[in-house]
Amino acid sequence: MAEFLVTGGAGFIGSNLVDALLAAGHNVRVLDNLSMGKRSNLPLDNPHLRFIEGDVADAEVVAQAVAGCAGVAHLAAVASVQASVDDPVSTHQSNFIGTLNVCEAMRQHGVRRVVYASSAAIYGNNGEGVAIDEATAKAPLTPYASDKLAGEHYLDFYRRQHGLEPAVFRFFNIFGPRQDPSSPYSGVISIFTQRAQQGLPISVFGDGEQTRDFFYVGDLVALLMQGLLSEQVVSDPLNVGWSQAVSLNQLLAEIGVLCGGLPPVTHLPARAGDIRHSRADNARLQAHYHMPEQTPLREGLRQLLGL
Ligand code: NAD
Ligand code: UD2
């Protein structure tokens, strides 16, 4: 069976992808520095899994991890936008140099297929209020977004020059089991559900009428698997969202139903620079991928809450 490398495989999205690859009978290598990921996210006793603790910023380590594998899902990054604002130099090592190291290692070892985790952050505030398509002008407002966009450009260079086959996905708001709720900048669903379960007060920044296009991690994994395994991939970047707007107030109502009520909800001033409405135009994704059946928000929340 083919062996695949998942960088960042001990994290939220990566570990869900690892589970799916193993379940499909593949061998998996994970390269993760455990800065955010956890060993407990991985089935370490599975003989088909090899865990390498190491940094994608280390070219040598990346080259060893890439050698001999059939394809790479490159998910390792400091996923916190705020961390990139606070420490652009250090996060650049993970978020950009790590991507360049993966490209170079793939070129050296003749590995072609790579799935890349880009982000809706590359659009900045552009397209706000309409469904954002991939042609929307790019406006990276943070080091995180700049690094993700630069990574896309480098992958395209390696595609043209060295025959790499990148499958580039621009994730909107992903949620589900193993998303870490511990920072104030963690995904809102992970924070709200954890606080609801623990009976702790919930803070809504603004009036709660801002909307997001929430996408369940299991549905994302189905797409990442296709990106990794399908005969051919489209090299154009693809938005990953359902093109559905859910407000925070609607989200809280759903959580309230599942948890049998909500703790006190406080409204605080809106976050500076917060995007009011973010929604993907996913026509290009639909044209090129077999879309999974959508996991409804309530069902995704149920999974996350362990109900
Ligand atoms: P996560 O923090 O759970 O996963 C990232 C993993 O990468 C962690 O396990 C972390 O330990 C590892 N990592 C970080 N720096 C590393 C380094 N230098 N070397 C090796 N490993 C390193 O976050 P996630 O939400 O699972 O994000 C996965 C990918 O998806 C990231 O590239 C992120 O930028 C991207 N993304 C996520 C979202 C979202 O909604 N969660 C949205 C857009 C893009
Ligand atoms: C998401 C991504 C970010 C970047 C951005 C691009 C996550 C975690 N963040 O930011 O990486 O790609 O999209 O547009 O996926 N909120 C509250 N209370 C809380 C926490 C959040 O009200 O305790 C609000 C927050 O102000 C925002 C909404 O919830 O209006 C969603 O916040 P988020 O941090 O989950 O995600 P977002 O869309 O700001």
Side-chain angles (χ1 to χ4, degrees):
M1 258 297 177
E3 184 160 4
F4 294 94
L5 171 66
V6 182
T7 74
F12 159 47
I13 296 169
S15 65
N16 280 284
L17 175 61
V18 169
D19 285 347
L21 284 166
L22 290 170
H26 299 288
N27 293 314
V28 182
R29 302 172 194 173
V30 165
L31 174 62
D32 199 300
N33 68 357
L34 300 180
S35 55
M36 284 301 291
K38 301 186 188 80
R39 285 175 195 275
S40 58
N41 283 341
L42 292 168
L44 290 172
D45 53 355
N46 187 319
H48 298 285
L49 172 68
R50 183 152 70 94
F51 176 63
I52 306 161
E53 185 173 346
D55 202 304
V56 290
D58 184 334
E60 192 84 352
V61 167
V62 175
Q64 282 170 18
V66 164
C69 69
V72 180
H74 177 45
L75 306 179
V78 177
S80 162
V81 174
Q82 189 58 38
S84 82
V85 171
D86 295 342
D87 194 350
V89 175
S90 154
T91 56
H92 182 72
Q93 293 299 314
S94 300
N95 293 2
F96 176 71
I97 299 296
T99 302
L100 186 52
N101 285 340
V102 167
C103 290
E104 193 50 24
M106 292 180 68
R107 181 186 71 77
Q108 278 169 21
H109 293 286
V111 181
R112 296 163 84 90
R113 184 64 58 86
V114 54
V115 165
Y116 178 62
S118 188
S119 168
I122 66 164
Y123 300 114
N125 293 325
N126 287 340
E128 194 173 349
V130 296
I132 298 168
D133 69 18
E134 291 85 353
T136 300
K138 312 304 172 286
L141 299 175
T142 58
Y144 172 84
S146 299
D147 282 337
K148 287 289 181 191
L149 186 55
E152 288 192 12
H153 289 313
Y154 272 80
L155 282 160
D156 193 52
F157 163 73
Y158 275 82
R159 178 185 68 77
R160 287 180 279 107
Q161 192 72 17
H162 300 298
L164 249 63
E165 297 174 350
V168 175
F169 296 100
R170 295 174 180 160
F171 304 163
F172 279 63
N173 292 68
I174 312 299
F175 77 102
R178 302 186 194 144
Q179 190 168 28
D180 187 343
S182 61
S183 134
Y185 295 97
S186 299
V188 66
I189 291 187
S190 68
I191 296 174
F192 282 5
T193 50
Q194 189 201 43
R195 297 188 77 81
Q197 276 188 317
Q198 297 179 351
L200 297 169
I202 286 175
S203 301
V204 174
F205 302 123
D207 62 6
E209 286 304 303
Q210 65 264 51
T211 59
R212 293 294 183 271
D213 192 348
F214 295 111
F215 203 95
Y216 184 64
V217 68
D219 299 344
L220 172 65
V221 163
L223 296 170
L224 301 181
M225 291 282 281
Q226 289 177 61
L228 206 50
L229 301 170
S230 60
E231 270 305 289
Q232 299 198 325
V233 280
V234 53
S235 58
D236 296 332
L238 302 167
N239 286 340
V240 178
W242 288 113
S243 208
Q244 290 170 3
V246 175
S247 72
L248 295 193
N249 291 331
Q250 288 170 325
L251 171 65
L252 282 171
E254 288 289 333
I255 295 172
V257 168
L258 292 171
C259 293
L262 284 173
V265 174
T266 314
H267 287 265
L268 298 176
R271 271 184 182 161
D274 202 24
I275 293 172
R276 183 82 175 150
H277 300 292
S278 170
R279 181 164 69 90
D281 178 325
N282 65 5
R284 200 192 272 179
L285 181 71
Q286 289 202 49
H288 294 287
Y289 276 73
H290 169 69
M291 295 297 283
E293 192 179 330
Q294 181 178 6
T295 301
L297 180 64
R298 184 171 294 185
E299 179 51 32
L301 291 172
R302 215 187 277 280
Q303 297 285 335
L304 177 53
L305 290 160
L307 300 173

